[in-house]
Amino acid sequence: MNNKAVILGSNYYIGLSIIRCLGENGVYTVAVDYSKKETYGAKSKYLNEQLIAPHYKENPEGLLKFLIDFAKDEQLKPVLYPGADQYVEFMDAYLDRLSEYYLIPMTEQGLWTKVMNKESLHELAVKHGVLVPETTRPTDKDFYERMEKEIKYPCIVKPTDSASFVAKFRKKIFLVNNKEELDKALSLSKDAKLDVIVQRIIPGFDDHMYTFDAHMNQESEVTHWMTCHKLRQYPINFGASVYTEQKYVQELYDIGAPFFKAIKYKGFGEIEFKKDAETKKYYLIEINTRTTNLNSLLYKAGINFPYVAYRDMIGDPLEPKAVKEDTGLAFRYLQEDLLAIRGYIKKNQLTTGSVIKSLSRKKAPAIWSLNDPKPAFNYFGIVVGKVFRKLFR
């Protein structure tokens, strides 16, 4: 295995998890960042090189040239991994040129962007018979009529481009309870030049969220898969996983695998579902196109998705595998889980007793690893530094 693995972004635990999953299997790993600041993932003992390149947004052409120049010096094509949604967007924009020099599972330029975009994903789901929350757009002629009769309040104002929305508002959605709040949310989005849609909220608490994590080969067949069950997220109610257990749910495969096949998806993908508390049906919420936040859990539960992709790309695929049992493992992002717990208890959505009971599961930490502790110590130093500066600002 002489093909190097190039990971875009080591300043978040997703990049760190990719580095560990590959490095533990003897793959030569290279992290590409736009700055060394807060790149705690690069402190992993499994990283061989860290390179500083132009910023993906400020100078995308410069980053493209940097990556091409790097690959030209290699005898074998490196395998390229995005460590964040912004890098997925960059890779999709230049997929035709990058594919000349890198091994990338996705071959259809634009498909990543299409499934990341909430509006076009909604259209794909409807086309292929997958349930999605009822949705309307501010530009629809019957917008307010549909709001009253179909969507109703409370509802969510959701961006079509999540990364840009989160960067602007530091939240994933606007929760609105009436027409006045709706108009304010739409106005804020319009002022920020961000497109949004409005969706019905599927009944059910945060523990009604599930994921279907899978790798599709070059024929878009699922070769490896696992399902997970969210227990807590942050921000609470509409946020990212901070405490999630691996849990086998066959129905998620039965919905997700045919959908991935139908849209000709390749490589890793994670579908987030919400189970309707009233009808018990699963609704597609979104798709993550890069290695997921839960990667440390997926790995400990039995499937090393970054390595699966690596072996697939170099033409030496691993044997298919599915985890069809409950392992008792849970992913935990400690810092944000503590914030989530505080929020749930404050709003009387969880009790202290139920939280304590949930912590009995074996953990798959987001950052900490006894075999590779330096990233966690470095991350702790970063957090302490931020707190110190905030206190004495």
Side-chain angles (χ1 to χ4, degrees):
M1 297 186 298
N2 296 318
N3 303 73
K4 293 181 179 179
V6 176
I7 300 97
L8 300 179
S10 67
N11 60 348
Y12 194 52
Y13 61 82
I14 291 177
L16 170 62
S17 70
I18 298 173
I19 292 166
R20 285 173 171 165
C21 282
L22 297 173
E24 288 183 8
N25 284 278
V27 178
Y28 188 98
T29 56
V30 182
V32 175
D33 294 285
Y34 55 83
S35 167
K36 284 193 175 184
K37 184 180 179 182
E38 299 185 0
T39 55
Y40 58 90
K43 303 301 185 290
S44 172
K45 69 178 184 180
Y46 297 108
L47 184 70
N48 298 102
E49 283 185 73
Q50 183 185 27
L51 305 175
I52 303 304
H55 195 283
Y56 58 85
K57 188 173 183 179
E58 296 173 0
N59 186 7
E61 287 286 342
L63 175 56
L64 176 65
K65 183 180 184 303
F66 181 93
L67 292 172
I68 290 175
D69 288 345
F70 174 84
K72 282 181 177 178
D73 291 333
E74 299 298 313
Q75 291 184 338
L76 298 173
K77 283 185 175 183
V79 184
L80 189 61
Y81 294 83
D85 288 342
Q86 294 88 339
Y87 284 118
V88 176
E89 294 171 348
F90 164 80
M91 287 175 61
D92 201 19
Y94 296 101
L95 188 62
D96 53 345
R97 296 167 68 181
L98 285 170
S99 295
E100 295 179 32
Y101 303 94
Y102 287 88
L103 298 174
I104 302 171
M106 184 59 70
T107 57
E108 181 183 335
Q109 189 164 16
L111 183 56
W112 267 336
T113 301
K114 188 178 293 185
V115 298
M116 289 173 68
N117 181 285
K118 302 302 185 292
E119 190 167 16
S120 51
L121 175 61
H122 184 276
E123 293 172 357
L124 281 174
V126 171
K127 178 181 178 181
H128 295 288
V130 176
L131 289 176
V132 283
E134 290 81 352
T135 302
T136 186
R137 299 156 189 80
T139 54
D140 292 343
K141 290 182 178 179
D142 58 348
F143 174 67
Y144 285 105
E145 182 180 346
R146 289 194 63 197
M147 284 300 308
E148 294 295 331
K149 294 183 178 180
E150 184 178 343
I151 308 298
K152 301 180 180 179
Y153 300 102
C155 60
I156 57 174
V157 176
K158 194 174 184 178
T160 57
D161 178 2
S162 291
S164 298
F165 190 91
V166 172
K168 174 66 178 179
F169 297 112
R170 311 309 300 172
K171 59 176 68 177
K172 295 183 72 172
I173 56 94
F174 287 130
L175 172 65
V176 299
N177 297 288
N178 50 53
K179 184 177 182 298
E180 182 181 355
E181 291 182 7
L182 171 65
D183 289 341
K184 181 179 179 180
L186 296 179
S187 177
L188 288 171
S189 302
K190 184 178 180 180
D191 291 343
K193 298 180 180 179
L194 294 171
D195 293 328
V196 294
I197 55 178
V198 184
Q199 284 188 341
R200 178 176 77 91
I201 296 176
I202 303 302
F205 183 55
D206 291 6
D207 61 2
H208 281 62
M209 297 294 296
Y210 294 79
T211 68
F212 170 62
D213 297 271
H215 175 82
M216 276 59 65
N217 63 18
Q218 292 301 290
E219 287 72 48
S220 298
E221 299 285 353
V222 174
T223 61
H224 296 73
W225 64 276
M226 188 185 306
T227 56
C228 299
H229 172 216
K230 284 188 182 184
L231 297 173
R232 293 191 289 272
Q233 51 191 0
Y234 184 79
I236 65 170
N237 307 141
F238 299 98
S241 298
V242 293
Y243 197 67
T244 297
E245 65 176 347
Q246 178 276 322
K247 187 176 182 66
Y248 169 56
V249 183
Q250 178 65 39
E251 191 174 349
L252 301 182
Y253 170 87
D254 297 338
I255 300 170
F259 179 68
F260 275 135
K261 176 71 172 179
I263 65 175
K264 299 179 180 179
Y265 193 96
K266 299 173 183 178
F268 177 81
E270 178 188 75
I271 303 178
E272 289 196 13
F273 290 96
K274 187 170 185 181
K275 185 177 183 179
D276 190 310
E278 298 170 359
T279 67
K280 311 304 180 186
K281 294 180 179 179
Y282 290 95
Y283 284 75
L284 185 155
I285 301 300
E286 66 179 9
I287 293 181
N288 292 313
T289 56
R290 39 76 188 147
T291 301
T292 178
N293 298 46
L294 307 177
N295 193 52
S296 62
L297 170 62
L298 306 180
Y299 179 34
K300 285 195 173 186
I303 301 181
N304 184 336
F305 280 103
Y307 190 56
V308 168
Y310 181 88
R311 290 285 293 270
D312 202 16
M313 287 294 91
I314 66 173
D316 185 21
L318 295 170
E319 287 293 316
K321 183 177 182 179
V323 177
K324 295 187 176 183
E325 60 183 4
D326 295 341
T327 61
L329 284 166
F331 163 83
R332 192 183 196 195
Y333 183 24
L334 180 60
Q335 179 188 357
E336 291 194 348
D337 188 32
L338 293 175
L339 295 173
I341 289 170
R342 183 180 67 178
Y344 286 121
I345 293 175
K346 186 177 181 180
K347 290 196 173 184
N348 296 317
Q349 295 181 7
L350 288 176
T351 64
T352 302
S354 65
V355 170
I356 293 173
K357 185 178 179 180
S358 74
L359 296 175
S360 63
R361 295 170 176 82
K362 293 179 291 184
K363 307 298 189 300
I367 300 172
W368 171 252
S369 169
L370 187 61
N371 294 324
D372 186 30
K374 284 184 68 176
F377 290 136
N378 187 260
Y379 176 76
F380 180 73
I382 292 169
V383 172
V384 170
K386 288 181 176 179
V387 172
F388 184 84
R389 287 191 294 273
K390 186 175 182 180
L391 289 174
F392 294 95
R393 185 172 297 162

